Amino acid sequence: MHRWYRPGQGRIRQVVHAATCDPAESARERVTEVRVEPDRIRDRYRRRPEKDRRYVMLEPATLLTVQERQRALVWMMRKAGMTDPSAITVLEIGCGAGGNLVEFIRMGFDPANLIGMELVEERAVQARRRLPDTTIVINGDAVAEAIEPASRSIVLLSTVFSSVLDDDFQQRLADVAWNTVAPGGAVVCYDFVVNNPRNRDVRAVPIERLRTLFPQALMMKRRVTLAPPVARRVTRIHPGLYRVFNAVPWARTHYLTWLAKPPG
């Protein structure tokens, strides 16, 4: 049986005393609703289209992007000595509708060794429907949930840090991921390093920022993913053009980063 966690309180009611207001104002207590970062993240995701055809696997650009990322991840796992998928345990923070966890199962991972954590309830419901019952799906905030320390071979965060706009919360999330990884395991991040000026709900996560978030990690990285607008245009002409354009390093907008925890 899977475990199911309902989301925590999204807003905090906080008493604020005015210090510099007029006497009448400062004599009264004001109850102010303070929106915390997890609540803002939920709002950002809910502003996105529920069904975006650009990310359907039947689109050549999407399929080729996923396959490229899979090859890079397999290369990193083998480099780290992880060659038996049935023995690898995974936590994905921000699992969305469960697509990455489904990919792991197809690669031979034991569904019982996978945990998905998702902040947005609607997406967690979708993940629960898609995944086997032996896979745990947690609907909640990773920073607030109690996760067993040093319990996972891999903690995956795919385009998660770019959706966290608060530096302090970003660091707290990184600390949770790092504490959850067992010695000899790794935090794996897939995120973009080029800002999207059309989307204020996200920001780039350069390699330097990851070094700050994970100062003790031993890093492997690969630049991947042809810029999505370019990928969609060229694959409409012919899917083979993805590799041609992707051969130019600066045309790739993302990094897949393996942040290894030294064996203890």
Side-chain angles (χ1 to χ4, degrees):
M1 294 293 293
H2 63 269
R3 290 181 287 165
W4 183 257
Y5 294 79
R6 290 294 176 186
Q9 186 70 20
R11 291 176 169 83
I12 299 172
R13 295 188 66 80
Q14 185 179 65
V15 176
V16 179
H17 297 276
T20 59
C21 299
D22 62 81
E25 182 72 17
S26 60
R28 291 185 286 123
E29 290 184 348
R30 294 185 296 109
V31 179
T32 303
E33 192 173 286
V34 179
R35 295 168 60 82
V36 294
E37 183 65 11
D39 208 27
R40 296 190 187 105
I41 295 170
R42 289 189 188 97
D43 289 344
R44 290 173 201 136
Y45 273 100
R46 285 168 176 156
R47 282 197 291 269
R48 299 178 184 182
E50 186 175 347
K51 294 182 179 180
D52 194 333
R53 291 289 307 172
R54 295 177 300 175
Y55 303 109
V56 174
M57 288 290 286
L58 294 180
E59 293 294 326
T62 302
L63 179 62
L64 292 164
T65 294
V66 170
Q67 290 174 339
E68 179 190 9
R69 188 178 70 242
Q70 286 176 334
R71 289 193 299 271
L73 180 58
V74 169
W75 176 83
M76 288 179 174
M77 285 192 293
R78 293 185 64 84
K79 220 28 194 175
M82 295 187 186
T83 57
D84 180 5
S86 65
I88 300 172
T89 56
V90 177
L91 165 67
E92 182 178 11
I93 297 175
C95 70
N100 290 328
L101 296 175
V102 171
E103 289 178 23
F104 280 123
I105 294 170
R106 289 173 179 161
M107 292 165 64
F109 285 62
D110 185 343
N113 287 339
L114 306 179
I115 299 175
M117 182 174 289
E118 174 54 42
L119 183 66
V120 181
E121 185 175 5
E122 298 90 335
R123 292 159 65 88
V125 169
Q126 293 174 350
R128 179 67 279 155
R129 289 173 180 165
R130 295 180 69 182
L131 293 163
D133 286 345
T134 52
T135 298
I136 297 171
V137 175
I138 301 172
N139 177 207
D141 172 9
V143 170
E145 294 288 346
I147 307 172
E148 184 181 355
S151 60
R152 301 279 104 184
S153 311
I154 292 173
V155 175
L156 174 66
L157 299 100
S158 180
T159 60
V160 169
F161 285 125
S162 55
S163 297
V164 178
L165 304 186
D166 182 87
D167 286 345
D168 291 338
F169 190 84
Q170 200 178 64
Q171 184 63 67
R172 290 170 63 198
L173 188 60
D175 292 343
V176 168
W178 186 252
N179 290 336
T180 305
V181 171
V187 175
V188 178
C189 295
Y190 171 73
D191 230 317
F192 55 86
V193 294
V194 179
N195 271 315
N196 181 354
R198 297 181 180 179
N199 190 349
R200 296 181 179 180
D201 286 342
V202 295
R203 62 174 177 175
V205 185
I207 291 298
E208 293 76 14
R209 178 58 180 163
L210 289 179
R211 294 190 193 278
T212 300
L213 293 173
F214 299 96
Q216 301 176 19
L218 305 175
M219 181 183 289
M220 282 193 291
K221 63 183 187 298
R222 274 201 172 183
R223 190 151 186 163
V224 294
T225 307
L226 178 62
V230 176
R232 287 189 285 269
R233 288 186 181 184
V234 300
T235 55
R236 288 191 194 108
I237 300 170
H238 193 282
L241 290 175
Y242 183 95
R243 289 189 177 182
V244 174
F245 282 79
N246 202 37
V248 181
W250 55 260
R252 304 176 208 144
T253 53
H254 293 58
Y255 266 103
L256 183 68
T257 311
W258 181 276
L259 300 150
K261 178 180 282 190

